[in-house]
Structures are given as structure tokens and as C-alpha cells.
Amino acid sequence: MKNKLKRIAASVLTLALLAVPVLAAAESVGSNSLNVADGTVYTYSTQAVTSDSGKQTNLHENIFTYKKEAQVRPVVAFGSTLYGTSPMNKTIKTLEEQGYSMVAGINGSFFDRATGIPYGIVVTNSILRSGGSANAVGFLADGSALIGDPTVAVTLDYGADAPLALNYNKAMTEQNGVLLYSQDYDTRTKNTIEGYHVIVRPVGSRAAELRLGQSLTVEVVGMVEDTKSCSIPEDGFLLAVANDTAYKSALAALRGMVMGQQMTLQVTCASGWENVTSAAGGGDMLVENGQVCTDFTLDSAKKMAARTAIGVTNDGSLILYTCDEAGNSDGLTLAQLAERMLALGCRTALNLDGGGSAAGVTYPGYASGATANVPSDGKLRECANFIFLVRQKQDAGAASKLYLYPFGGYALPGAKLTMTIKAADSSYMAAAVPTSVTFGGTNVTQTSGSTVTVEPGARGAATVTAAAGSLRASATFEIPAAPTSITIKQEGKNTPLTALHIAGGSKTDLTATAWYYGNQVYSADESFEWAVTGEIGAIDESGVFTAAKTGTDLTGTITASYGETSFTLRVTVGSSQPFADTKGHWAEGYITELYYAGTLQGSTKDGKLYYRPDASMTRQEFIVAMMRY
């Protein structure tokens, strides 16, 4: 008996999509939720969307709902420097070195793909790391959030009639005036054009740090001319302007500065933002004052894509949201995303960097985080920064909670579910699993250990339970009456078949997979009904097809079905010896198999097919065969 067990996260979300003008219908198919902290819930949701044209698409979402609590708070984090991007797992390690453990995380600011420099502001540990004029999300020490325009401005009062406006920790261009750099940017400016530089250090015992709503007195300690990549002092700042800047008066101002001159750096911001401890810039506002926004600068083409967003609800809860444009999910337009954030209860919401959007979560009972979504790049994209929910790292106590993984999904009768049991202490830190765990449930039968089988004929749902003393855990798997689609592939191969060409008398092990709105359904090959048409051979209940022996090509079909859903595969059964010159050759079986796989074709002469098994392959023949394979 063969089983195709694939982990999926799926299930039923009570929050439904509001209708949007570009959609004919949107239906919540299902979701599954998991408490990852006392005030934080992770939800994997599936939406079925039908466009005005009648096209059916799937939407897979990862949603984190955070309510303020003592143990968990939101923070912004980036790699070791602002210059260059960082993967989420590396950034998590940086947080761990600071004594935190991740609860959940999403990618944050839009950024320059060439340099990794974020477009908006970045604040960590109450220190301004980068400036910018974009909308942003900011977090206060108590875990509450601000979303909007922080109107952060960094200026330099150097004794002239008007202060100089500064671009803080951004790449130099001829159009962006005077730059200010700290070692948050990097150890060097790494600019590609030459500029004039002034080195300044704080006066007195003040650290070289800028804070929102505060000022800092600095003193000129050096100048560097005609340099592209200039060193940034560890204990100070670097003023810089391009030699060919469009702002000649700014260049003259820097050239006029003298050693020992004292000046004042001033950081201003919108009211309330001076109290944020972390912040990250974003993009377009999606929801303001409980109303969806409609004027977007990013999404003029109205393209469906992977999206990341953050929002605040009426009760102050924080929503961290991502949706996939991969793994059988089609993504959203910005207009649809705005409607979705409103449907989730947001009174204010902000678009963040999407595309290769990332969603990380530490499942309770596990010591490290995992990727919750399906990244559109095929792997997690390195980003400028991330928004995390974190808790203080601590040693685990005794187990007080049990968890079963997978924690939900879809299954067909006959599927074998191999469950993983995990435990966490009262703070959701991974704890030792009790030694004596028993398994049970409804519509399931324990097969062995932690493996259970969905009972034949089961309908509705199958629930797996685990118990250890007074601790309990359960996982529910919906049994769909009709999957939305079925695919067939050869056992051990990854690509679904569209047609099959095999040798007469051969055996082919086929496996069927059911899908429910893009989510893979747990099943066994015995979950399906198998049928053959034509005189091509016979198939058993496990999907093993025995081809008829023949000297000529026979055509027919193989069908796998469950309920009213089926998939029919076109099949051609050919001669067991297609080549006239391979009988008895040591490689006969391999050559025949590769011929029916479409890799090798041979050549025809006098109405017969020849392979030339002892001849050398040319480079061209080898490359073509590899491409076919």
C-alpha cells in the first residue's frame, strides 16, 4: 500500500472576503488557526475567488493576529548593516543574539534591489537608522502601533540662515543633496560617484545616535575630497555631497566647514512618532479611517501578485498579512488587498514589500522558526528588513501544552496520517514531550505509534487526538465530498503526467493526488477508484498498471476518481522491444524505459526502429537527450 502524505496547512476562517468591484464572487473555503502565544493567533486561510469573466482562482493567506500582551511585542530588525539585504533566518539569528526568540515575522520595507537600502525610515531600539519620506508603521514600547506618514526630517543647523536638509543613510546621487551616514549604513559609503565628505563627531559623551524628536550637537573633525567610497567613522557621522550635485549651494556649504566647527543635527517627526521604539517604511495606504483607499502609485497595472500588509483593527489588534502568488495561489491586486484588510477588521492598513513575500512562524513546541508561506521566488527572498513578533528567550519549563502536527488540513478515506507530537511550556517555549502519549480520534484508526488511518467510508471530517496525562491536543482534517482536481504521476517522480507511453508487458506504479482549492489532500492510492478503457492492460486498487503484451501500439485511458471528480490519462502501450537491435543487449531494459519516457528516440530504417546501442553518442545527441529527460 502506497501513501502520499504531504503536509499542508488548511482549514476554515470565519472572516470572509468582502466583495470588491473587480470580483464576481469570493468565498472562504476554509482555514486553520493555531495559538502561537497567549495573544497571537496564526491562521492559514484559503479563499476561492471567481472573477467577472468566470475564471476560478485560489488565494492562500498567512495571517497573524496580535493583541498586546506582556510576553510578546512587535519589533523591526535588519541584518548587520542597512547596505545589502539579509535573509529572514539570518536576521532571526541576530535577534536571538539579542536575547529574543521569534513568534512570527513578515518582510518589511520596499528597498533598492541594487543596494538593499530601504526607501522609508527604519527605527530599532528607539534609534533612527535610516530616513525617508514614505508611509510607515511604528511600534510603541507597549506593543501598540502607529500607521501613516511619520514626516521624519533630518536637518543640520550649521550657522547659516536656513538649515541643510539631509538624506540619512541613503546612496549618493547627483539629485539627492546632502547625505548623512552612520555605521548603521556600513563601514564605507560604497557610492559610485565622487563626492566631498565632512567627518563629524558628537560633542561631549553623547553616542553617535539619532533619535526621533531630538537633537545632537556635533563637531567637524576632518574632510575627505574626491572619493567614491569613503570610510564612515565608528564613533561619528559622515556628511557627503556629490561633486556634480544639482545643489551647488549645498556643496559650497560643506566645503566651507572648518575643523572644530560645531553644528546641530535635528530630527523632527509627526506627533506621537517620537515615542516609537521600532519602525519600518512601507508603500501605499490601503485603509484609512475604516475606508479602503483607491489611489495607488505602485499598482497601476492592477496585477495580481504576492502581497504583504500590516494593519491595526478597531480594538488595537495588529494584523500581519501575506498572500501567495505560488503553490496554486494567484495573489491579489492592491485594490483587492485593501478590501481584504478591511474585511479582516483593519481601520488602518499599509502595503509592505510583496512579490517574494515572506512569512515565518515558530510553531509551538519547536525550537526554531519555519517558513509558513510559499515564496514566489521559490525560496525566501533576502530583504532590507523584517517585522517580527518576539518574546524574551528563556529556558523552557515543564510541558503544559501539547501540539499535533500537521495541525489541520484535508484528507480522503484510506489516507495514513503520520502525526508529530510536540510540547510547550506556559510561555510557548519548546519543552520535553511526555513519555506516555496515546492517540485516538473520530473517523480514524490508530495504525501504529503516531500513525493513524482515515477510516474507509468516513465523511465530514477526521479528528486526531493525542493525550498525555492531563494534556490534550487535536488536529482536524476535513474530508471533501469532491476534490477540485486530481493529478496522476509515476511513483517517485514529481511531474504530473499528461500522457503515458509504455512498453507492452511492463508494470508502472502510478499515484494519484487530490487537490482542494490548490491545497494538497492527504490520501492513499487506495482512496481513489481506478479504471482502464481499451485493451491496454489492467490496473489494481493501488494504481499499479500492468500493460498488455503487444507487438503494435494500443491506445486507451487510465482514470483516477473520487466522488464526482476524476482525471483521465491518455495511455499508449507499445511493443516491449521497440528497437530491432537491442534484444539481448545488457542495456536493453534501460534503453526501452528511456524510449517510452521520451528521452531516447532512435532512428528508422526499412520500417524498423534502431538504437545502435554500442555506438558513441555525439555531444548534440547527449544534450538533446538530457533536455528531453
Side-chain angles (χ1 to χ4, degrees):
M1 180 183 291
K2 307 183 316 300
N3 300 283
K4 297 307 294 177
L5 295 180
K6 295 281 188 180
R7 175 174 182 179
I8 56 175
S11 52
V12 172
L13 181 64
T14 55
L15 297 164
L17 275 168
L18 296 183
V20 292
V22 293
L23 301 180
E27 177 186 0
S28 177
V29 172
S31 74
N32 188 267
S33 296
L34 181 70
N35 285 0
V36 293
D38 285 341
T40 305
V41 178
Y42 164 57
T43 300
Y44 173 84
S45 170
T46 299
Q47 302 283 335
V49 179
T50 305
S51 68
D52 285 337
S53 64
K55 180 183 178 182
Q56 177 75 55
T57 61
N58 303 316
L59 179 67
H60 297 168
E61 307 169 309
N62 292 276
I63 306 164
F64 302 98
T65 304
Y66 164 78
K67 293 185 177 181
K68 289 188 292 184
E69 60 164 294
Q71 290 191 352
V72 176
R73 66 185 181 93
V75 299
V76 174
F78 58 93
S80 56
T81 61
L82 293 168
Y83 192 98
T85 54
S86 179
M88 179 179 274
N89 58 359
K90 181 179 177 181
T91 310
I92 292 170
K93 288 182 180 179
T94 301
L95 285 171
E96 290 174 346
E97 291 170 358
Q98 299 172 10
Y100 297 109
S101 63
M102 181 192 74
V103 175
I106 57 173
N107 54 311
S109 301
F110 291 88
F111 59 94
D112 186 307
R113 295 295 294 272
T115 64
I117 299 301
Y119 292 134
I121 68 168
V122 177
V123 176
T124 66
N125 297 321
S126 300
I127 300 170
L128 180 66
R129 311 295 183 175
S130 183
S133 58
N135 294 316
V137 56
F139 305 112
L140 304 180
D142 66 355
S144 56
L146 303 174
I147 294 178
D149 184 358
T151 60
V152 171
V154 181
T155 58
L156 177 69
D157 184 350
Y158 64 109
D161 292 339
L164 282 173
L166 305 178
N167 278 306
Y168 187 39
N169 282 332
K170 306 296 181 184
M172 178 187 289
T173 71
E174 295 175 357
Q175 303 298 322
N176 63 355
V178 181
L179 289 300
L180 178 69
Y181 292 100
S182 72
Q183 280 212 343
D184 286 326
Y185 183 89
D186 209 324
T187 58
R188 305 185 69 86
T189 60
K190 298 183 178 181
N191 289 317
T192 58
I193 57 177
E194 290 188 343
Y196 185 82
H197 305 81
V198 177
I199 304 169
V200 299
R201 288 193 176 93
V203 174
S205 59
R206 293 282 299 275
E209 299 171 348
L210 297 184
R211 296 175 183 267
L212 297 179
Q214 297 185 20
S215 61
L216 179 67
T217 302
V218 295
E219 181 179 348
V220 177
V221 297
M223 295 87 170
V224 181
E225 298 186 57
D226 304 330
T227 300
K228 292 181 180 178
S229 182
C230 186
S231 294
I232 302 171
E234 184 176 355
D235 57 349
F237 300 92
L238 188 70
L239 291 163
V241 66
N243 285 346
D244 295 327
T245 180
Y247 301 92
K248 300 303 181 183
S249 60
L251 176 60
L254 262 65
R255 288 188 180 276
M257 293 175 183
V258 298
M259 294 290 289
Q261 180 179 349
Q262 292 193 359
M263 303 174 290
T264 301
L265 291 169
Q266 179 73 49
V267 183
T268 59
C269 61
S271 177
W273 284 83
E274 67 275 5
N275 297 319
V276 303
T277 58
S278 287
D284 292 306
M285 293 296 295
L286 300 170
V287 181
E288 288 188 282
N289 299 318
Q291 301 293 319
V292 294
C293 301
T294 57
D295 185 17
F296 304 118
T297 59
L298 175 69
D299 205 27
S300 58
K302 298 182 179 179
K303 178 184 177 183
M304 296 180 74
R307 304 289 183 181
T308 303
I310 191 166
V312 177
T313 66
N314 285 323
D315 67 359
S317 296
L318 191 67
I319 303 292
L320 281 64
Y321 176 95
T322 72
C323 68
D324 292 338
E325 186 199 8
N328 303 314
S329 175
D330 293 278
L332 291 172
T333 66
L334 273 189
Q336 292 168 348
L337 178 63
E339 292 283 356
R340 188 71 185 108
M341 296 303 286
L342 182 66
L344 291 170
C346 295
R347 71 166 186 268
T348 309
L350 176 69
N351 184 44
L352 298 172
D353 183 28
S357 58
V361 61
T362 299
Y363 295 104
Y366 284 89
S368 58
T371 303
N373 69 322
V374 181
S376 55
D377 291 353
K379 62 179 181 179
L380 288 181
R381 176 187 295 175
E382 294 190 3
C383 296
N385 51 61
F386 299 90
I387 297 171
F388 292 106
L389 299 175
V390 299
R391 61 167 62 90
Q392 289 288 336
K393 203 171 184 179
Q394 57 188 349
D395 293 333
S400 65
K401 303 176 179 67
L402 284 185
Y403 294 90
L404 276 174
Y405 296 102
F407 62 95
Y410 302 95
L412 297 182
K416 289 188 182 301
L417 305 173
T418 299
M419 310 300 296
T420 297
I421 185 75
K422 290 289 184 178
D425 67 6
S426 59
S427 298
Y428 293 84
M429 302 297 290
V433 177
T435 55
S436 178
V437 180
T438 58
F439 289 87
T442 57
N443 282 332
V444 296
T445 302
Q446 185 172 7
T447 305
S448 64
S450 60
T451 300
V452 299
T453 301
V454 181
E455 295 176 348
R459 295 292 182 267
T463 300
V464 183
T465 60
S470 61
L471 304 182
R472 298 286 187 275
S474 65
T476 298
F477 300 84
E478 183 183 341
I479 303 173
T484 51
S485 63
I486 294 173
T487 56
I488 297 176
K489 60 186 178 182
Q490 285 183 256
E491 181 69 27
K493 296 189 177 182
N494 295 323
T495 305
L497 295 168
T498 56
L500 182 64
H501 192 183
I502 56 176
S506 65
K507 285 192 175 184
T508 304
D509 195 352
L510 300 175
T511 186
T513 303
W515 302 87
Y516 194 63
Y517 294 95
N519 295 299
Q520 190 170 338
V521 182
Y522 292 98
S523 64
D525 288 328
E526 293 80 1
S527 301
F528 303 90
E529 292 185 6
W530 297 87
V532 173
T533 64
E535 302 299 323
I536 58 174
I539 194 166
D540 67 15
E541 63 177 8
S542 299
V544 177
F545 175 65
T546 303
K549 294 182 179 180
T550 178
T552 59
D553 282 356
L554 301 174
T555 59
T557 64
I558 294 175
T559 299
S561 60
Y562 179 86
E564 296 181 357
T565 307
S566 64
F567 176 76
T568 298
L569 180 69
R570 300 188 311 275
V571 180
T572 300
V573 175
S575 170
S576 59
Q577 296 176 348
F579 296 106
D581 56 349
T582 60
K583 185 176 181 180
H585 192 276
W586 67 267
E588 176 185 2
Y590 300 108
I591 294 168
T592 301
E593 181 179 351
L594 289 170
Y595 168 76
Y596 283 113
T599 303
L600 304 178
Q601 292 185 345
S603 58
T604 302
K605 182 179 180 181
D606 300 329
K608 293 183 179 180
L609 189 63
Y610 293 88
Y611 179 69
R612 299 177 294 117
D614 294 315
S616 299
M617 295 181 78
T618 66
R619 289 187 178 92
Q620 181 180 355
E621 289 172 336
F622 179 75
I623 291 170
V624 170
M626 291 300 294
M627 291 175 66
R628 289 179 185 142
Y629 182 80

